[in-house]
Amino acid sequence: MSASQPPQSLTSPEPPESRQGIDAPTLLVKIFGKDRPGITAGLFDTLAAYSVDVVDIEQVVTRGRIVLCALVTAPTAGGTTEGDLRATVHSWAESLKLQAEIISGTGDNRPRGDGRSHVTVLGHPLTAESTAAIAATITSTGGNIDRIFRLAKYPVTAVEFAVSGTGTEVLRTALATEAAGIGVDVAVVSAGLSRRAQRLVVMDVDSTLIQDEVIELFAAHAGCEADVAAVTEQAMRGELDFEQSLHARVALLAGLDVSVVDKVRAEVRLTPGARTLIRTLKRLGYQVGVVSGGFTQVTDDLKERLGLDFASANTLEVVDGKLTGRVTGDIVDRAGKARLLRSFAAEAGVPLAQTVAIGDGANDLDMLNTAGLGVAFNAKPVVRRAAHTAVNVPFLDTVLYLLGITREEVEAADGLVE
């Protein structure tokens, strides 16, 4: 830079409203009709002749029909008038068999209200009735719907509402009640960078990551399925806590040959969408772990097969090639799962507010409530009521939509559909 040149400012330029005033004349130009390549370029090439500034743009294409909105400053240079611009835009639109509407006004969009949230709605199918109920509930909380777009069309229909003007917790409470009554799944999360920064996802295993209950698979080989089921029922009735029921069920496996571990591993069935969920999260840079009231003999294998970052579970004791009917080490119970989530987050360097936990049973509740976002996956009613959000379709990868990830993004990264 020469001595005669003044130094350039290091501050950002003032926004158009600061330069022109919030009452500066603006025009909202709306174009709609059959979509084809070149419409957007053609509109702005037409507007360029009038030296207008672009204030805002929105474009949507639905089933081959385009709606393009451009908010621009009114023409002021070269003696041209708003009437000239209107006539030129209408003529251009008619030449392409499009419709045009131009609305005069002042300034930019009105400021969005305080409180910003993303509301994700999953339907299988998503009906007009349920969509109306969700929209009305948002309005009843004082919220305004600023934008809606589709995240996925299969295996469920997933849409996202960008909402302002009301608190996230208020919105979440109101929509959770409404969703339960109309049969859709709704997740509400705060808007902002933290949504994309949720860098650790921790899942339960039995009936979440996998379709099976591992203790029942072992029991089938030991011929004690009915006895294990009876102990499970006691626990569900509250007659036994988790640790007591675990010890009682594992005791029934005493004497089982350790070779059965390989058989159980082969019998484990992943939940539909599990591989897609984990693969996509890993490609996005997330860390993924599992915590289980089951057994390391299975979770360690899942960790290796699926490329998980963390895995923790109970360990079946083996002596002389036989299961002893005991477990070793600390018990992974309800409190233990929450403790492990904190431990994984600390090791991963991720704040708890940026973690996601997924589970289905009461044993997962502490973990779900500890995480920044707790997802009840095909869960018991008590768990659905206590979690931040619930997913009640049998596809684990639908959790991706709650994080704002679209099906198109998943497929573009993957190259195939699971």
Side-chain angles (χ1 to χ4, degrees):
M1 181 181 293
S2 67
S4 61
Q5 290 178 310
Q8 293 183 342
S9 171
L10 298 180
T11 60
S12 299
E14 289 183 307
E17 283 191 354
S18 299
R19 296 195 305 268
Q20 302 165 0
I22 61 174
D23 294 327
T26 52
L27 300 175
L28 175 59
V29 181
K30 298 169 62 179
I31 304 296
F32 38 96
K34 186 177 181 180
D35 188 34
R36 73 202 73 177
I39 290 177
T40 305
L43 172 63
F44 286 99
D45 187 52
T46 302
L47 293 172
Y50 296 90
S51 301
V52 298
D53 294 335
V54 177
V55 179
D56 197 3
I57 309 173
E58 291 279 355
Q59 178 174 307
V60 176
V61 177
T62 304
R63 211 184 66 179
R65 310 294 291 185
I66 187 172
V67 178
L68 170 59
C69 295
L71 185 64
V72 299
T73 56
T76 57
T80 58
T81 66
E82 179 182 319
D84 296 329
L85 182 149
R86 285 175 177 270
T88 302
V89 170
H90 279 289
S91 177
W92 166 81
E94 288 173 6
S95 72
L96 296 178
K97 297 182 179 179
L98 300 169
Q99 293 179 279
E101 181 181 5
I102 302 174
I103 304 172
S104 301
T106 57
D108 197 351
N109 304 313
R110 62 180 177 82
R112 296 176 65 190
D114 292 336
R116 310 282 175 82
S117 303
H118 295 287
V119 177
T120 306
V121 182
L122 309 180
H124 189 56
L126 180 62
T127 66
E129 181 181 9
S130 59
T131 304
I134 294 297
T137 302
I138 291 172
T139 301
S140 72
T141 67
N144 184 72
I145 300 171
D146 301 312
R147 186 174 300 169
I148 307 173
F149 62 95
R150 186 175 68 183
L151 293 167
K153 61 182 178 181
Y154 65 90
V156 299
T157 301
V159 296
E160 181 172 289
F161 297 74
V163 178
S164 62
T166 189
T168 297
E169 288 301 326
V170 172
L171 197 55
R172 179 181 290 156
T173 300
L175 286 172
T177 302
E178 185 64 38
I182 61 177
V184 298
D185 299 329
V186 178
V188 183
V189 298
S190 297
L193 292 176
S194 61
R195 188 189 192 200
R196 284 285 188 176
Q198 289 170 322
R199 310 299 291 183
L200 173 66
V201 176
V202 177
M203 289 175 276
D204 173 44
V205 175
D206 291 9
S207 299
T208 299
L209 178 63
I210 67 175
Q211 300 177 60
D212 311 282
E213 294 288 330
V214 170
I215 186 69
E216 294 177 1
L217 297 179
F218 276 101
H221 289 282
C224 59
E225 293 171 278
D227 295 328
V228 165
V231 175
T232 301
E233 283 298 317
Q234 283 185 284
M236 292 179 66
R237 291 195 299 266
E239 297 170 10
L240 296 174
D241 63 23
F242 176 81
E243 184 170 351
Q244 289 173 317
S245 69
L246 177 68
H247 287 306
R249 286 178 291 179
V250 170
L252 296 169
L253 306 180
L256 198 60
D257 193 275
V258 73
S259 63
V260 80
V261 169
D262 288 335
K263 296 177 183 178
V264 167
R265 288 174 175 175
E267 292 167 352
V268 164
R269 301 166 300 162
L270 291 175
T271 297
R275 288 187 183 276
T276 297
L277 172 68
I278 294 170
R279 188 166 52 232
T280 303
L281 292 173
K282 296 292 290 181
R283 285 175 173 169
L284 288 171
Y286 282 53
Q287 296 188 61
V288 185
V290 293
V291 291
S292 176
F295 310 111
T296 57
Q297 281 84 352
V298 171
T299 58
D300 287 351
D301 180 63
L302 289 170
K303 180 182 180 183
E304 182 178 351
R305 282 200 287 142
L306 299 174
L308 302 174
D309 300 284
F310 306 98
S312 189
N314 302 300
T315 299
L316 292 168
E317 185 181 62
V318 178
V319 176
D320 296 330
K322 304 287 186 182
L323 302 188
T324 66
R326 296 187 294 270
V327 293
T328 62
D330 294 335
I331 298 298
V332 178
D333 56 8
R334 176 170 168 168
K337 287 187 174 185
R339 183 180 65 251
L340 286 163
L341 172 66
R342 294 188 184 95
S343 176
F344 293 168
E347 186 174 342
V350 173
L352 281 174
Q354 294 172 205
T355 61
V356 180
I358 311 168
D360 73 301
N363 201 34
D364 300 311
L365 275 174
D366 288 3
M367 177 178 72
L368 297 180
N369 289 324
T370 298
L373 176 64
V375 181
F377 181 72
N378 291 311
K380 314 299 186 291
V382 65
V383 181
R384 291 200 301 267
R385 289 193 295 269
H388 297 133
T389 189
V391 171
N392 295 300
V393 294
F395 312 107
L396 194 56
D397 53 342
T398 55
V399 172
L400 293 169
Y401 310 144
L402 308 184
L403 305 178
I405 301 165
T406 69
R407 190 72 195 181
E408 288 182 348
E409 290 172 324
V410 173
E411 292 176 7
D414 207 21
L416 54 88
V417 181
E418 186 179 53

